[in-house]
């Protein structure tokens, strides 16, 4: 793999002066399209006027997630960074400081730690359904965002008044809907993020000053009390960023909920299989939703330790983009990659580099998403709910998924009508 003995290879290089606009326009297809065109898993381009290396596939993911080679510092454009992770977050730490902070996330989000979040989400869906029965139509994306916002606030110990549910949901959703764009959607995200950060920071400050009690051991309480590897507590702004790092992406699971509902609609055989099956079939369906549908197109890093891979030199400081979407559909690892087939996961041994919608490698030492287990569990709740607990009509609507928009979602948000309890 990595070797200094391999002779230097000529890496395909884009002829354009800069590909930033093409990347924003082509989004999910930017890297896969060019990798196919050049017949190479790796090629060089220029982004924001600097050279950048793009790569795709499991071998590339293995290289990208090799410990200590990449940092996330200065890897993302500031507009994306401030909406998704923001300054002070675990994503921008490296080495021992990252390991220590990440351990806190894994304690909160590791398998078995979020059972209550799953129960709360299932209960919120059940309550919401009784209201949906009285409505002409429901946009699943929007409704799921609210369900998840209620559940995650209760679970994390963040106090949420009934009167502010709508506003807080909008703020959290605007962050991930704005991250992949430039212009009004991005500005709106920034404005709503600033308001949300003020709200969460105040909660942390009130708890620390004894003006408010957070439920003992809740994620909000753990983050407010957390001490970094230097023994110091997080400043209130960083603590708010990390709490939002649980709230925002949990609400973003609404995108997978929407795709799960779309998949149940568009793949009746798969829907039948999951209805007739048990937990295994639910899990396979959720995994296939994560593999098949777009979420983040790519992840960016910068080389901290120079290395050579397959004859290609990765100099210090070089920006590197790893293709997440294309790797999940790589025909070398997935048979019939463009078909929705949950049964492919029946005997899946698990592989940290072929299925990487939430990053790859090791959760503790790499930047791989600590929310992967809860994402799968919450998607399973949605599959069971939309697949078995309720019945509904799917009126005519625009279900196209535009791969040039980040995040890609069905244009209509997936509208359902005439909602009723199953079997009623
Ligand atoms: C909704 C589906 C989700 C997707 C598609 C997703 C995707 C990702 C990706 C691609 C990364 C970056 C990996 C890298 O830099 O190499 C990441 C990191 C992260 N995610 Fe997620 N995520 C999701 C849900 C969640 C959830 C539910 C949580 C928390 C409850 C979460 C918390 C985080 C955190 C804290 C990081 C930074 C980890 C680190 O730098 O070590 N994510 N996620």
């Amino acid at each position: 793999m990595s070797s200094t003995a391999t002779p230097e290879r000529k890496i395909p290089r884009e002829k354009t002066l800069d590909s930033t606009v093409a990347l924003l326009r082509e989004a999910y297809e930017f890297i896969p399209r060019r990798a196919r065109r050049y017949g190479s898993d790796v090629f060089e381009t220029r982004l924001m006027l600097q050279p950048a290396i793009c790569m795709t596939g499991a071998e590339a993911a293995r290289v990208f997630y090799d410990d200590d080679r990449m940092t996330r510092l200065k890897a993302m454009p500031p507009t994306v960074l401030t909406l998704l992770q923001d300054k002070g977050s675990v994503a921008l730490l490296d080495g021992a400081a990252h390991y220590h902070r990440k351990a806190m996330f894994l304690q909160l989000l590791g398998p078995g730690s979020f059972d209550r979040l799953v129960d709360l989400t299932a209960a919120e869906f059940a309550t919401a359904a009784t209201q949906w029965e009285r409505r002409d139509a429901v946009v699943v994306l929007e409704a799921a965002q609210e369900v998840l916002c209620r559940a995650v606030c209760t679970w994390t110990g963040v106090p949420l008044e009934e009167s502010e549910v709508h506003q807080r949901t909008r703020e959290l959703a605007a962050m991930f809907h704005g991250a992949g764009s430039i212009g009004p959607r991005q500005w709106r995200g920034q404005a709503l993020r600033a308001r949300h950060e003020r709200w969460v920071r105040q909660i942390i400050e009130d708890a620390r000053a004894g003006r408010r009690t957070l439920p003992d051991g809740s994620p909000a309480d753990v983050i407010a009390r957390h001490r970094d590897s230097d023994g110091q507590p997080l400043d209130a702004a960083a603590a708010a960023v990390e709490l939002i790092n649980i709230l925002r992406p949990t609400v973003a699971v609404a995108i997978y909920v929407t795709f799960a509902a779309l998949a149940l609609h568009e793949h009746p055989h798969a829907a039948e299989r999951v209805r007739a099956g048990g937990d295994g079939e639910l899990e396979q369906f959720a995994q296939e939703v994560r593999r098949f549908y777009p979420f983040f197109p790519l992840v960016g890093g910068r080389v901290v330790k120079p290395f050579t891979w397959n004859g290609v030199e990765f100099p210090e400081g070089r920006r590197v983009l790893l293709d997440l979407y294309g790797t999940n559909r790589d025909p070398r690892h997935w048979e019939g990659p463009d078909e929705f087939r949950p049964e492919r996961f029946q005997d899946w041994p698990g592989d940290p580099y072929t299925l990487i919608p939430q990053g790859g490698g090791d959760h503790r030492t790499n930047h791989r998403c600590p929310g992967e287990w809860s994402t799968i569990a919450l998607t399973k709740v949605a599959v069971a709910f939309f697949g078995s607990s309720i019945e509904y009509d799917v009126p005519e609507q625009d279900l196209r998924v535009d791969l040039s928009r980040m995040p890609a979602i069905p244009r209509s948000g997936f509208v359902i009508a005439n909602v009723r309890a199953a079997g009623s």
Side-chain angles (χ1 to χ4, degrees):
M1 219 178 53
S2 149
S3 139
T4 41
T6 328
E8 206 178 306
R9 183 161 75 102
K10 250 201 153 10
I11 172 171
R13 186 162 294 160
E14 289 245 83
K15 297 216 168 52
T16 47
L17 218 55
D18 194 88
S19 297
T20 313
V21 174
L23 173 62
L24 282 168
R25 276 222 190 99
E26 297 176 44
Y28 297 85
E29 293 181 310
F30 177 82
I31 299 182
R33 193 172 277 161
R34 284 163 181 72
R36 276 195 302 274
R37 186 186 302 155
Y38 300 128
S40 170
D41 279 357
V42 47
F43 64 90
E44 197 165 77
T45 186
R46 289 178 72 83
L47 293 170
M48 288 174 282
L49 302 173
Q50 290 174 1
I53 296 174
C54 299
M55 9 194 238
T56 186
E59 273 313 302
R62 191 182 293 277
V63 169
F64 187 89
Y65 284 103
D66 196 343
D67 285 4
D68 301 334
R69 275 184 174 165
M70 303 281 170
T71 176
R72 300 294 179 272
L73 275 176
K74 299 195 180 146
M76 281 193 261
T79 46
V80 178
L81 173 74
T82 45
L83 282 187
L84 290 184
Q85 292 284 344
D86 215 349
K87 295 174 204 89
S89 96
V90 61
L92 297 185
L93 299 177
D94 289 315
H98 172 260
Y99 189 87
H100 182 84
R101 182 89 63 86
K102 187 72 173 279
M104 175 192 78
F105 276 98
L106 292 171
Q107 177 207 328
L108 296 172
L109 294 163
S113 323
F114 52 81
D115 293 351
R116 186 158 169 263
L117 172 64
V118 170
D119 293 345
L120 287 163
T121 305
E124 290 292 352
F125 268 122
T127 308
T130 59
Q131 291 159 13
W132 299 354
E133 284 174 26
R134 293 194 289 273
R135 281 164 53 181
D136 290 340
V138 174
V139 180
V140 169
L141 177 66
E142 288 167 13
Q145 284 172 180
E146 188 175 312
V147 160
L148 287 160
C149 181
R150 287 175 186 275
V152 75
C153 284
T154 308
W155 178 64
T156 48
V158 168
L160 182 69
E161 300 290 334
E162 187 57 37
S163 59
E164 58 181 352
V165 172
H166 182 67
Q167 182 195 332
R168 300 305 174 201
T169 304
R170 272 178 63 232
E171 289 166 6
L172 289 162
M175 296 180 208
F176 53 86
H177 286 298
S181 67
I182 42 174
R185 200 148 46 95
Q186 157 78 224
W187 304 330
R188 182 172 178 273
Q190 297 287 359
L192 292 183
R193 165 133 201 160
R195 194 155 78 181
H196 199 80
E197 275 191 17
R198 281 198 297 278
W199 176 59
V200 176
R201 198 166 54 230
Q202 192 62 53
I203 294 170
I204 301 273
E205 282 169 355
D206 286 352
R208 285 177 170 173
R211 293 188 293 268
R212 169 192 298 283
T213 313
L214 297 171
D216 200 25
S218 62
D221 179 49
V222 169
I223 291 171
R225 292 175 194 273
H226 176 77
R227 284 178 185 270
D228 256 342
S229 46
D230 59 5
Q232 294 302 310
L234 300 175
D235 65 48
V241 163
E242 295 301 39
L243 188 45
I244 294 172
N245 255 344
I246 294 182
L247 303 177
R248 181 202 63 253
T250 302
V251 171
V253 174
I255 292 182
Y256 280 149
V257 171
T258 307
F259 280 131
L262 177 68
L264 287 165
H265 174 61
E266 291 193 330
H267 304 283
H269 286 304
E272 220 21 76
R273 182 176 179 273
V274 82
R275 262 181 219 117
D279 189 65
E281 283 72 16
L282 268 182
E283 176 103 10
Q284 292 156 27
F285 198 100
Q287 288 287 46
E288 183 67 343
V289 165
R290 292 195 318 132
R291 186 198 71 80
F292 184 79
Y293 290 104
F295 205 121
F296 288 117
L298 47 85
V299 63
R302 266 189 202 270
V303 177
V304 272
K305 234 191 234 165
F307 63 97
T308 305
W309 172 57
N310 272 347
V312 176
E313 273 193 59
F314 288 70
E316 188 177 339
R318 182 62 41 91
R319 177 177 269 135
V320 181
L321 301 184
L322 174 69
D323 175 24
L324 302 180
Y325 177 69
T327 303
N328 295 334
R329 285 175 174 239
D330 189 331
R332 291 171 294 186
H333 306 293
W334 303 104
E335 201 191 306
D338 298 329
E339 288 161 29
F340 187 84
R341 288 193 210 158
E343 62 278 13
R344 69 172 81 242
F345 283 100
Q346 203 161 353
D347 298 309
W348 191 58
D351 182 317
Y353 302 107
T354 53
L355 178 71
I356 54 169
Q358 296 178 243
D362 180 77
H363 290 93
R364 288 163 308 145
T365 51
N366 298 132
H367 286 281
R368 184 172 188 156
C369 177
E372 215 168 350
W373 300 281
S374 64
T375 299
I376 295 170
L378 296 175
T379 307
K380 283 166 71 176
V381 168
V383 176
F385 176 73
F386 287 98
S388 306
S389 303
I390 56 169
E391 289 171 7
Y392 44 88
D393 302 336
V394 180
E396 203 156 301
Q397 59 192 286
D398 189 350
L399 289 174
R400 278 174 301 169
V401 176
D402 179 2
L403 287 179
S404 66
R405 181 197 190 274
M406 292 184 271
I409 37 172
R411 281 198 191 156
S412 60
F414 199 68
V415 178
I416 57 174
N418 190 18
V419 177
R420 60 237 179 239
S424 65

